[in-house]
Amino acid sequence: MALFPPKCPVGPEERVWIEESMAWLAAEFGLGVLERAPVLPTAEFFPGPYRGDEESVRAVIARLCGYLEVAPDRLTVEIEPDDGEQAMVDGLRLNHSSRSAAGHYRRENGRPVIAVAQRQAARPVALVATVAHELGHVRLLDEQRISRGRRDHEPLTDLLTVHFGLGVFTANSAFNFSRNERGWSYSRLGYLTERMLGYALACYAHRRGETKPAWSRHLTTNPRAHLKQGLRYLGEHPPIS
């Protein structure tokens, strides 16, 4: 018996929810996506120049449609102009923390519509995480796999991005801590904590038969640590199948 047995990075209720939800996603969308390489912030997956303009944003959205198996011609895509929130904060010289919706999904005239805030263009990793989440709504809600009234539909949509190999972006965008001349500030994006996303990525890697996934080097410090801890735990406590 190990002197210090591996500990799960999340609590019992979160562990069960993540394992059951990841198993549901695998049953619902199949295991084929687990056989392809995870999507990473490299030129292999996002080739060509990125200028941060509307054309570049739409090119990223089109590429993500391929990764999440959504036909682009099904969608209406809206790029929403900057609402001036950050400029106001800068003018007041205040630290800023935000968990605001950087994108949203709706149905209009019988078509799914995803909207993305233009300000996300300045943060490509957060842009990918936002678009992946909204396309996840298309896969879950527009395809009527779940109802909008389902209590956990937003966090489940974050988990869907992990199942489809985009979890590095979701995890790296979950918490952003930065410093400027006025002090420290932070922002959150998405509905899951870094610990939950780290464990979800561990479940993803475990299903792929990976014990030391090379792609983990693309994760920021906290999600990578939670992933490693989760994999050690799963080595002795296999997830719900």
Side-chain angles (χ1 to χ4, degrees), residues 79 117 124 164 222:
I79 311 298
F164 275 86
N222 288 344

Side-chain angles (χ1 to χ4, degrees), residues 5-216:
K7 182 180 179 181
C8 186
V10 298
E13 291 185 5
E14 293 174 333
R15 178 186 62 79
V16 170
W17 179 80
I18 290 169
E19 291 180 7
E20 288 182 344
S21 297
M22 291 295 288
W24 181 85
L25 289 165
E28 190 74 12
F29 294 101
L31 297 175
V33 294
L34 300 178
E35 297 174 1
R36 66 192 189 197
V39 181
L40 301 173
T42 66
E44 176 185 357
F45 296 95
F46 296 93
Y50 177 80
R51 296 176 294 275
D53 55 7
E54 181 171 333
E55 182 181 356
S56 295
V57 172
R58 290 185 179 275
V60 168
I61 293 172
R63 186 160 291 275
L64 288 170
C65 282
Y67 294 141
L68 280 110
E69 301 175 3
V70 174
D73 58 6
R74 286 176 57 190
L75 297 174
T76 298
V77 175
E78 297 177 349
I79 311 298
E80 296 183 335
D82 185 4
D83 60 8
E85 177 188 18
Q86 189 60 54
M88 178 188 71
V89 172
D90 289 342
L92 293 173
R93 300 185 65 80
L94 298 174
N95 288 347
H96 180 50
S97 63
S98 175
R99 195 168 180 265
S100 60
H104 65 260
Y105 155 88
R106 69 181 189 275
R107 281 190 63 83
E108 190 173 284
N109 299 323
R111 287 174 60 86
V113 179
I114 65 166
V116 182
Q118 178 64 46
R119 66 179 182 274
Q120 289 298 93
R123 299 172 56 205
V125 171
L127 171 66
V128 171
T130 298
V131 174
H133 181 89
E134 301 311 323
L135 291 175
H137 284 313
V138 176
R139 297 305 316 266
L140 291 172
L141 295 174
D142 195 67
E143 296 176 10
Q144 299 182 353
R145 297 176 188 271
I146 65 170
S147 70
R148 187 179 286 274
R150 178 168 167 162
R151 187 179 62 177
D152 65 345
H153 90 266
E154 290 287 6
L156 181 66
T157 307
D158 273 352
L159 278 189
L160 179 142
T161 70
V162 177
H163 177 73
F164 275 86
L166 287 143
V168 166
F169 294 90
T170 304
N172 285 352
S173 302
F175 188 84
N176 181 52
F177 199 51
S178 60
R179 186 178 185 178
N180 54 36
E181 67 275 9
R182 297 183 301 278
W184 294 96
S185 64
Y186 71 90
S187 62
R188 288 191 60 191
L189 185 69
Y191 296 85
L192 299 178
T193 66
E194 290 179 309
R195 285 183 176 274
M196 295 176 75
L197 284 163
Y199 189 62
L201 284 165
C203 291
Y204 168 79
H206 185 83
R207 282 187 176 274
R208 287 167 50 84
E210 298 173 303
T211 56
K212 295 181 179 179
W215 48 263
S216 67

